[in-house]
Amino acid sequence: MDVFIGGAWPYANGSLHIGHIAALLPGDILARYFRLKGYNVCYVSGSDCHGTPIQIRANKEGVSPEQIANRYHNDFKGCFDKLGFSYDLYNQTNDPYHSSFVQDFFTNLLNSGYIYKKTIEQAYCESCDQFLPDRFVVGKCPNCGFYWDILHLTHQDKYMKLLQQIIKYFNFCIWI
């Protein structure tokens, strides 16, 4: 039997923490188990080298997003090697092979009708000449009046209160 295990791809914008390891360790355990049983296993993961968290870190440090992504990808790879993770491939999303594979994969999904193209409106900053990820948007929603700030504190408080009510109602605890 062939077994494919795809681990999470942590953002390459800061050092690994115990949450990353806790999320990825079960995949490594499964890969080892199935290999011991004689199965053909392919266990892959990598560093997510695109996205807002990387852009924010790059802006703070005054360097390119690629420099941030490469620095932390190398850091991650070193940590996983030291911890003895058994990846068959630990790659990064800005690698040409990965990019080509993903483009082909999504093109096949599109051509098969499983996904579709859609035009959406996005916040755009004319001075920066770029579309803005949600983390860069600050202000009041014109539709519902919700205030969105750069740290999402009001957003987090709103959902933390809801989470606390759920915990009370169902009488169980969630590690956050």
Side-chain angles (χ1 to χ4, degrees):
M1 178 168 78
D2 292 333
V3 177
F4 173 79
I5 301 169
W9 290 61
Y11 279 120
N13 70 314
S15 297
L16 289 175
H17 54 74
I18 193 69
H20 291 114
I21 305 305
L24 293 166
L25 187 58
D28 192 67
I29 292 168
L30 283 173
R32 291 167 188 272
Y33 170 78
F34 284 120
R35 286 184 190 117
L36 286 171
K37 299 285 279 179
Y39 296 124
N40 182 30
V41 175
C42 180
Y43 177 36
V44 301
S45 184
S47 304
D48 188 340
C49 296
H50 298 95
T52 308
I54 294 159
Q55 181 69 53
I56 289 172
R57 172 62 66 112
N59 290 350
K60 283 181 184 174
E61 294 189 17
V63 297
S64 73
E66 185 175 39
Q67 287 173 292
I68 294 295
N70 288 335
R71 178 193 327 153
Y72 287 106
H73 169 74
N74 292 331
D75 183 49
F76 292 0
K77 183 111 175 61
C79 286
F80 291 130
D81 287 346
K82 287 177 187 172
L83 289 169
F85 272 65
S86 64
Y87 290 118
D88 294 296
L89 175 67
Y90 189 85
N91 202 355
Q92 55 194 119
T93 57
N94 58 1
D95 177 81
Y97 172 79
H98 177 82
S99 181
S100 173
F101 177 87
V102 170
Q103 289 295 322
D104 290 345
F105 183 80
F106 277 92
T107 299
N108 287 334
L109 289 175
L110 179 66
N111 293 339
S112 300
Y114 291 109
I115 61 173
Y116 58 91
K117 291 182 181 182
K118 178 180 175 182
T119 302
I120 60 169
E121 287 188 36
Q122 285 186 280
Y124 182 81
C125 176
E126 291 184 19
S127 352
C128 299
D129 191 29
Q130 72 175 19
F131 287 97
L132 300 174
D134 64 345
R135 296 175 197 194
F136 288 178
V137 177
V138 177
K140 188 175 177 180
C141 174
N143 297 321
C144 70
F146 179 74
Y147 182 77
W148 191 263
D149 67 7
I150 195 90
L151 298 176
H152 304 306
L153 292 177
T154 55
H155 180 70
Q156 288 176 359
D157 286 346
K158 178 180 176 182
Y159 288 101
M160 286 304 293
K161 287 178 187 167
L162 177 62
L163 183 59
Q164 288 168 354
Q165 290 172 350
I166 291 169
I167 291 168
K168 256 189 199 175
Y169 182 78
F170 289 105
N171 197 25
F172 68 91
C173 185
I174 299 174
W175 285 90
I176 303 171

